[in-house]
Amino acid sequence: MNQRENFFAMIEGKKPEFIPNIMELYKICVGGADCADQPTMGGIDVFGVNWILTKEGEMPEPNKFLFDDIADWKEYVSFPDVNTLGIEQAAKMELEGVNRDEVIINVYSPTGLFERLAAFMGFENTLCSLVEDPDSCREFFEAFADYKIACMNRFIDAYQPDVITYLDDLATANGLFMSPKVYREVIKPAHQRIVEAVTSRGVIFCQHTCGKCEKIIEDYVEMGAKIWSSAQISNDLEGIMKKYQGQLIVEGGWDSSGPASYIGASTEEVVTETIRCAKQYGKYGNFILFPTLLNENGNSLFVGDSRLGSMIEAWHRVEKLA
Amino acid sequence: MSKITEVKELVEAGKSKKIGAAVQEALDAGGQPAEILQAMVDSMSVVGDKFSAGEIFVPEMLIAAKAMSKGVDVLRPLMTGDNAASLGTCVIGTVAGDLHDIGKNLVSMMIESAGFTMVDLGVDVPAKKFVEAARENDNVTLIACSGLLTTTMPALKEAVATIKASGLSDCKVIVGGAPVTPEFAAEIGADGYAADAGSAAVKAKELVK
């Protein structure tokens, strides 16, 4: 099996021939998101939020908010016309020379419902609003979901992707930002519409949520997500892999807060972590390795790293499915 | 229910719209400002414990801190010169190279709620700025340094080393953030470590007493 065939075997709940590493599995496309969601090189986005480029990626300029009171959101938020975003041109550039028979096309859609509200009004205001004015939050999320769905449809038309990865970080290292009840009552209804918009067109939905979010994994599966990324070890990954075998692929496993992810981690530390992931998670068969390796220039996924060769070699060397 | 008990319950429930009137009623009923303040500090301690135990989440903690802040606004004019409940000043910031502030802001609110006066230096704070702020402000008893990214752990180490080398012997240093462990905190020479905002307030009190 090639990467593509092996991946679809996993999605269908069959035993794969090998356990993939995202670095070899996906063609990750971010051009559409650059137009529609957040500028990958920083700057003002289509909503007027200024993004600051850091080595780990971009983030909204701290303490500069469009509004403070969620009840006022309509005065400050105007949705762009998706026809003008340039998604088609971005797709054309990104897909040039890509062998679709081999790799999986994975289109990233960052700044999900919660993150977008936080980009507009900051985390503290957003979190307070979820419990103090849930009605206005719900109204905002529904309106923003309409925009997201329009973008998802354009992504699907332009990229013909296999997977769309929707990114919304709802958790800290210790647990969810908000209670599962608040997530379910205030965010989930609009979230569900986004998932359905993607899956109804035959595209695989990958939910990205960092941190300890295991309390709502059931919700993700129930809505139709087939992959959960970037699954961090603060969650019970093995328990989740066992419970959702045949239903959900866990993409992650790397100890992103551990020694292998520190600046200056040795090649040996990186290899040791790779082997741990292979031995601990590979046997379940519904796992994709998502290594997080950082160096002085940023995330190795985007800037490269001299340790990657050894890491990939170690990954191939270890028997994983046995 | 006594008026002070009512104030405590309103803080715990995060009722910031009602707290001002309740504090005023407690004062009108003969409550002393320091007593009312202490009741609110106690409430926030309960909130911090509940957060650390996973019984409540960030929004509930935030609205409680907001309610306490509104209550303190009513008391402040009556408490000038009364340092009975003060644990000193805490200088706080996210270390150089890191722009994240949610964790730092939460910790700041909880430490303030425990009875400290806060000096928030914001994000991307160079090591020497912590020292300057500690020298420029009165009665600084605590410096709190936050870092979210593994890439800024060296900056956290540098901040602690710079503070320790500065001769600020009366200040304790507490560190925290997603990649920080108790072992790392000890290794870089910090006096304290906390895993979350609730326990940061408990640790802060412990360090300065």
Side-chain angles (χ1 to χ4, degrees), chain B residues 7 12 21 25 40-42 92 107-108 124 135 142 162 182 185 192:
Chain B
V7 166
E12 272 190 61
E25 282 172 24
M40 290 197 282
V41 169
D42 293 346
I92 191 167
V107 169
S108 178
D124 195 14
R135 291 204 171 113
L142 187 68
T162 306

Side-chain angles (χ1 to χ4, degrees), chain B residues 96-190:
Chain B
D98 197 331
L99 300 181
H100 293 86
D101 63 5
I102 171 85
K104 183 264 296 173
N105 292 349
L106 286 171
V107 169
S108 178
M109 281 181 215
M110 290 306 288
I111 292 182
E112 182 172 32
S113 301
F116 287 83
T117 302
M118 300 306 292
V119 174
D120 191 340
L121 303 178
V123 297
D124 195 14
V125 179
K128 64 179 184 186
K129 203 168 165 189
F130 285 104
V131 175
E132 286 165 10
R135 291 204 171 113
E136 284 163 9
N137 289 280
D138 292 333
N139 192 26
V140 174
T141 52
L142 187 68
I143 300 177
C145 306
S146 163
L148 180 81
L149 307 165
T150 54
T151 47
T152 49
M153 288 169 81
L156 208 48
K157 184 178 182 179
E158 190 193 340
V160 176
T162 306
I163 295 162
K164 290 293 176 188
S166 69
L168 287 165
S169 53
D170 294 339
C171 280
K172 299 290 184 185
V173 184
I174 185 169
V175 296
V180 183
T181 59
E183 293 77 26
F184 179 75
E187 184 191 317
I188 64 175

